[in-house]
Amino acid sequence: MTTTLAAPRLTGHDRCDRCGAQAYVKVVLNAGGELQFCAHHARQHGDKLRDIAAEFIDETDRLAV
Ligand SMILES: [Zn+2]
């Protein structure tokens, strides 16, 4: 088995900025700084976040395993 995925950048220690649940999405802002969200809040704010994000790391896939 080959894995081409980059190592996950979020761990169980990363928490959602909104509710404190485990974070699965990390957003690096164009303006600088980072935000972390759980799957729920990432979905809720996703469209807006993508507009202002320099980098959008979505690891919500890991929830489906
Ligand atoms: Zn949350």
Side-chain angles (χ1 to χ4, degrees):
M1 191 179 104
T2 352
T3 175
T4 51
L5 290 171
R9 294 176 61 179
L10 289 159
T11 71
H13 298 293
D14 291 306
R15 297 286 150 190
C16 175
D17 289 335
R18 295 292 160 113
C19 68
Q22 186 173 344
Y24 284 95
V25 172
K26 183 176 225 161
V27 181
V28 181
L29 300 172
N30 281 323
E34 290 180 351
L35 296 170
Q36 293 175 174
F37 294 101
C38 66
H40 172 77
H41 284 113
R43 256 196 305 276
Q44 207 166 71
H45 302 291
D47 291 346
K48 243 179 291 175
L49 288 171
R50 282 171 203 274
D51 285 347
I52 58 168
E55 199 179 349
F56 195 97
I57 299 146
D58 184 345
E59 293 183 2
T60 51
D61 293 3
R62 291 194 289 134
L63 283 172
V65 177

